Amino acid sequence: MWWCLLLALATFAPAVGQGLRAPSASVLGLAPPPATTEAPATTPALPSSPAPPSAGKNNGTSQKHVRIRIIKKKKVVMKKRKKITDTSPLGTAKPPVTTGSAGTLDLPKEQEPGCPPLGLESLRVSDNQFDASSSQSFGLGPHRGRLNIQSGLEDGDLYDGAWCAEEQDAEPWLQVDARHPVRFSGVITQGRNSIWRYDWVTSYKVRFSNDSQTWWGSRNRSSGMDAVFPANSDPETSVLNLLPEPQVARFIRLLPQTWLQGGASCLRAEILACPVSDPSGLFPETRAPASSDPLDFRHHNYKAMRKLMKQVNEQCPNITRVYSIGKSYQGLKLYVMEMSDRPGEHELGEPEVRYVAGMHGNEALGRELLLLLMQFLCREFLRGDPRVTRLLTETRIHLLPSMNPDGYETAFRRGSELVGWAEGRWTQQGIDLNHNFADLNTPLWEAEEDGLVPDTVPNHHLPLPTYYTLPNATVAPETRAVIEWMERIPFVLSANLHGGELVVSYPFDMTRTPWAARELTSTPDEAVFRWLSTVYAGTNWAMQDPDRRPCHNQDFSLHGNIINGADWHTVPGSMNDFSYLHTNCFEITVELSCDKFPHENELPQEWENNKEALVTYLEQVRMGIAGVVRDKDTELGIADAVIAVDGINHDVTTAWGGDYWRLLTPGDYMVTASAEGYHSVTRSCWVTFEEGPVPCHFHLTKTPKQRLRELLAAGAKVPPDLRRRLERLRGHKKD
């Protein structure tokens, strides 16, 4: 019976096989293992198992013999089942199922990425590190084979959504040069991003080299033949394949074997690779992304985020306060970290600033940056840093790390490299929060066209539409919580942190022309918004890198890395527009990184890219003018007084103590303060280039009519002088 056992074991080929051993550290780049020197040859099929048909001959139906090994005591029994006809396109097996070159199937345990990404998606791998056997066009060149890269609206331009080999290329391959030896451990693939075509690879092989001339492959453990990995069954799902055994090499090639019938050999990829030591010193040492700040550089789920915020509060109890503004649809609290020298109260003359992150749950970098920022501010305050001390003494800062905690938990469970482009973006109800705020643009623009602004319809603090306040309105609980937060605190400045691009956009986000996909639509405060956007973009290291390539399909560096939101793409119901039209707050959107959910090892560098920009932007609340509007007789502050600037058709109002802040660029302005029951006062306020804000206070006098109302309400007699003035006014009206 022993010969039966050997025969059974010989014919059983598991899905993921034994790869050839990597070269030792002493011979890195010099002596690769036994290998082929040509382009990968087609793997011969065993007689009992048909080889996978070529892509050109794929008719959409594949037939397989499936073997099952049953072990009973010490016997190995091979049972042959009848042929299974699969009507789906070849290679659309579910990702956990790995197909070996011998056609057998193996069901591995759930795969977890072991090594970090090499950096195709995050752009740490530059365009010149890519190569390919062929490309259909420059826009489909090897440099476009990056995980999650997005195409433009039109195929065939310079920014298409994948690498695609030429149709006549019988043995296509995509190559990445790591520039030094690394330990390759896995590959993640996607299909082509396009709204016009469906193209994806359904299976591929992997090869390695130290010199790009001599190559060896990843092998099945039992058969010793080249492993064939299952790839994608749709364009967007990220599919992970771990190598049977990690390989130390400099170059890696992906060799598509089959692809969607009627489509092309197109893919986007990320390579998982760990650094290795190089005792020979043949390759320049690569520096891992790092930061000198001793902060917690990792991704935090809801529980870990709450714990970290509590730790910061305990470390700096005199300048911090953690509070909740509401709950998500699934009941997770929307926690805010307040940082100020007197947390919990609004100080007269002290402006309020906020950062909001995680509106889209899968855009995780903003969340981590705010958690890092609160740690940094706490630490630097304790160290006595004068800049941070002044910031926390003169400003009240609010940090909301996760506006959409439900979506983040979904993305977090998938992991940074497998979450894809959209999973976790929406709330648990399927709502995109950046389209969920009330559209106040349309009623304002209609009133302007009818000549009703500002006499009949105000140009600021527009009320919520009736439909939006109905119980059955499609408004997420997260959105309602943020709106109530906006109305409760007199915010002056804000930034909404997103991911997936490297650009700063500013209002308006919605196009004025109905149904226009994009159109320059400026606010009356265009100069201020451009200033704010330029400040962040100009102090962000990644945006200022002259050698960086565009993330996806637009080169924003040509315009200083800033853009009007509506001129990029229209966003009705955005938080930026709502904040500007419903409150005093000026808000921009910061797209922080090409990678929406960067790996943890990228976080130190991302912090360094954004640290100065985050602090400098908070300091911009000092630009412009600020002051207090008071009653001339009582010296009490006047709430809800209107501050109007000549030539700018957008006003702001005072807080409950009479204090206000009006962001303005340098220049000479005529400013008018008015309030119901008071005579208006106009004065000149000069804004310099010096760090402000410039004080611009007002004292208003009550009108006679208002004084009379107050006296009559108090039950007092009307003074003779006031009575005579009223009589004269009545006489003028009769004339």
Side-chain angles (χ1 to χ4, degrees):
M1 294 296 294
W2 59 269
W3 61 271
C4 296
L5 177 63
L6 291 177
L7 177 62
L9 291 176
T11 56
F12 175 71
V16 181
Q18 173 89 18
L20 295 179
R21 293 190 176 274
S24 64
S26 61
V27 294
L28 286 178
L30 298 177
T36 59
T37 58
E38 302 294 333
T42 304
T43 304
L46 295 180
S48 59
S49 178
S54 65
K57 297 180 180 180
N58 180 10
N59 60 5
T61 301
S62 61
Q63 292 184 329
K64 312 182 187 74
H65 288 291
V66 180
R67 285 191 172 82
I68 301 176
R69 183 176 64 172
I70 303 175
I71 300 177
K72 294 183 178 179
K73 295 183 179 179
K74 293 187 179 180
K75 288 186 177 181
V76 178
V77 181
M78 299 299 298
K79 290 187 177 181
K80 184 173 181 181
R81 296 176 58 182
K82 64 180 181 179
K83 290 183 179 181
I84 300 175
T85 301
D86 184 5
T87 58
S88 61
L90 183 66
T92 57
K94 294 181 180 180
V97 181
T98 308
T99 306
S101 58
T104 59
L105 298 177
D106 185 24
L107 301 177
K109 296 180 180 179
E110 183 177 354
Q111 301 190 80
E112 293 290 340
C115 290
L118 189 62
L120 279 68
E121 182 179 8
S122 66
L123 304 187
R124 281 196 295 122
V125 173
S126 62
D127 287 356
N128 58 19
Q129 291 176 252
F130 288 85
D131 197 3
S133 57
S134 65
S135 301
Q136 292 184 13
S137 65
F138 179 80
L140 293 169
H143 64 290
R144 301 296 294 176
R146 301 174 183 269
L147 195 73
N148 286 317
I149 202 165
Q150 302 295 294
S151 68
L153 293 177
E154 298 181 6
D155 287 345
D157 60 11
L158 298 180
Y159 304 105
D160 227 315
W163 160 71
C164 292
E166 293 180 347
E167 293 185 6
Q168 61 269 30
D169 189 346
E171 296 179 338
W173 50 261
L174 175 68
Q175 174 180 304
V176 179
D177 176 7
R179 286 185 172 165
H180 54 86
V182 296
R183 188 171 74 251
F184 294 110
S185 67
V187 177
I188 302 172
T189 58
Q190 290 174 319
R192 176 180 178 178
N193 176 256
S194 172
I195 62 175
W196 307 108
R197 289 184 55 89
Y198 290 97
D199 298 301
W200 59 79
V201 169
T202 55
S203 67
Y204 62 90
K205 296 180 181 180
V206 183
R207 299 203 173 210
F208 311 92
S209 174
N210 286 318
D211 57 8
S212 75
Q213 300 298 317
T214 305
W215 296 85
W216 72 95
S218 184
R219 305 282 181 110
N220 282 327
R221 288 188 177 91
S222 298
S223 69
M225 302 168 66
D226 283 353
V228 179
F229 299 95
N232 299 85
S233 57
D234 64 71
E236 295 299 331
T237 302
S238 299
V239 176
L240 165 67
N241 280 293
L242 296 181
L243 301 179
E245 184 171 310
Q247 301 289 315
V248 176
R250 172 177 170 176
F251 299 88
I252 184 171
R253 273 185 184 178
L254 307 184
L255 301 96
Q257 300 297 294
T258 58
W259 44 89
L260 180 69
Q261 181 184 11
S265 175
C266 301
L267 63 79
R268 294 173 288 167
E270 180 60 83
I271 308 298
L272 305 183
C274 291
V276 296
S277 59
D278 177 24
S280 64
L282 296 177
F283 300 93
E285 183 178 356
T286 58
R287 294 167 50 187
S291 172
S292 60
D293 296 322
L295 308 176
D296 187 3
F297 293 106
R298 62 189 177 94
H299 287 293
H300 298 77
N301 63 7
Y302 177 76
K303 183 177 179 180
M305 179 190 73
R306 184 174 57 183
K307 181 179 179 181
L308 177 62
M309 295 176 74
K310 184 174 182 291
Q311 290 173 344
V312 174
N313 176 242
E314 291 173 347
Q315 186 178 1
C316 295
N318 296 329
I319 61 167
T320 63
R321 178 176 72 102
V322 179
Y323 65 97
S324 171
I325 62 172
K327 293 183 178 181
S328 69
Y329 180 75
Q330 289 192 311
L332 302 182
K333 291 185 177 180
L334 308 183
Y335 285 112
V336 177
M337 173 67 77
E338 178 190 341
M339 307 194 77
S340 176
D341 61 335
R342 298 179 67 177
E345 65 176 283
H346 172 74
E347 298 181 64
L348 187 70
E350 185 168 287
E352 311 261 1
V353 189
R354 70 171 183 260
Y355 276 131
V356 178
M359 170 177 275
H360 296 143
N362 62 331
E363 297 170 12
L365 180 56
R367 175 193 184 104
E368 298 309 323
L369 288 179
L370 292 192
L371 294 177
L372 292 168
L373 179 62
M374 62 182 70
Q375 298 174 64
F376 173 78
L377 293 178
C378 170
R379 177 174 176 271
E380 294 303 304
F381 183 84
L382 294 178
R383 293 179 59 197
D385 181 272
R387 184 184 184 189
V388 172
T389 300
R390 182 187 177 191
L391 184 63
L392 295 179
T393 302
E394 299 181 357
T395 315
R396 190 180 179 206
I397 302 168
H398 305 258
L399 308 176
L400 173 59
S402 186
M403 183 178 169
N404 180 9
D406 296 349
Y408 178 82
E409 293 301 302
T410 299
F412 181 82
R413 285 190 292 269
R414 286 284 289 158
S416 61
E417 304 313 305
L418 298 179
V419 67
W421 190 252
E423 188 173 359
R425 173 187 177 93
W426 298 276
T427 68
Q428 194 66 23
Q429 294 174 283
I431 296 175
D432 187 332
L433 295 179
N434 205 31
H435 292 262
N436 196 227
F437 287 82
D439 171 18
L440 302 181
N441 305 57
T442 300
L444 174 67
W445 293 335
E446 290 177 349
E448 286 180 345
E449 292 173 359
D450 294 336
L452 302 177
V453 179
D455 298 328
T456 305
V457 177
N459 59 19
H460 62 97
H461 288 82
L462 274 69
L464 294 174
T466 303
Y467 74 86
Y468 196 81
T469 61
L470 297 176
N472 61 346
T474 307
V475 183
E478 297 88 344
T479 307
R480 292 192 187 277
V482 170
I483 290 176
E484 293 172 0
W485 185 41
M486 291 178 174
E487 295 173 339
R488 189 168 60 250
I489 298 177
F491 290 113
V492 181
L493 181 64
S494 175
N496 184 9
L497 307 184
H498 285 244
E501 257 298 351
L502 267 174
V503 68
V504 181
S505 69
Y506 58 89
F508 284 120
D509 288 334
M510 178 180 174
T511 56
R512 185 157 187 160
T513 301
W515 312 115
R518 52 174 295 187
E519 174 186 67
L520 178 62
T521 310
S522 303
T523 68
D525 285 289
E526 171 81 0
V528 173
F529 278 117
R530 288 186 63 85
W531 176 292
L532 294 172
S533 302
T534 301
V535 164
Y536 198 101
T539 51
N540 179 284
W541 287 9
M543 294 184 191
Q544 291 305 303
D545 181 1
D547 298 324
R548 79 169 182 88
R549 52 150 287 163
C551 291
H552 300 287
N553 50 60
Q554 287 183 260
D555 189 355
F556 295 105
S557 65
L558 300 176
H559 307 285
N561 298 293
I562 69 172
I563 190 171
N564 171 255
D567 199 26
W568 183 11
H569 57 269
T570 185
V571 183
S574 77
M575 187 164 70
N576 288 3
D577 288 4
F578 180 86
S579 180
Y580 181 68
L581 296 177
H582 189 65
T583 73
N584 286 336
C585 189
F586 287 51
E587 183 173 281
I588 63 172
T589 291
V590 181
E591 299 283 350
L592 296 162
S593 171
C594 303
D595 190 347
K596 288 186 175 184
F597 205 134
H599 190 272
E600 283 186 355
N601 74 340
E602 303 274 0
L603 294 180
Q605 185 60 56
E606 293 292 357
W607 167 246
E608 291 300 320
N609 289 344
N610 288 276
K611 176 173 65 174
E612 178 63 26
L614 287 167
V615 176
T616 303
Y617 184 79
L618 291 174
E619 295 171 334
Q620 299 314 298
V621 76
R622 302 171 187 157
M623 66 180 287
I625 60 176
V628 181
V629 180
R630 301 180 187 273
D631 185 300
K632 186 176 182 179
D633 299 325
T634 64
E635 288 295 323
L636 296 176
I638 303 173
D640 297 321
V642 176
I643 306 298
V645 180
D646 285 0
I648 302 178
N649 191 24
H650 182 79
D651 305 336
V652 300
T653 59
T654 58
W656 49 85
D659 46 348
Y660 78 92
W661 305 263
R662 192 19 168 130
L663 301 182
L664 294 168
T665 54
D668 190 9
Y669 299 93
M670 296 303 297
V671 183
T672 300
S674 60
E676 185 178 356
Y678 290 87
H679 293 292
S680 299
V681 174
T682 301
R683 57 167 296 187
S684 174
C685 299
W686 176 256
V687 179
T688 67
F689 284 93
E690 301 297 325
E691 191 172 0
V694 175
C696 196
H697 304 290
F698 293 88
H699 285 81
L700 305 186
T701 305
K702 288 189 177 75
T703 63
K705 188 175 181 179
Q706 179 64 21
R707 288 188 179 183
L708 178 60
R709 286 174 180 168
E710 294 176 359
L711 289 172
L712 294 176
K717 293 182 179 181
V718 179
D721 61 332
L722 182 56
R723 188 184 301 112
R724 286 192 295 269
R725 290 185 63 184
L726 290 172
E727 289 174 353
R728 286 198 298 269
L729 288 173
R730 293 192 189 101
H732 287 308
K733 288 182 179 179
K734 290 179 182 179
D735 296 339

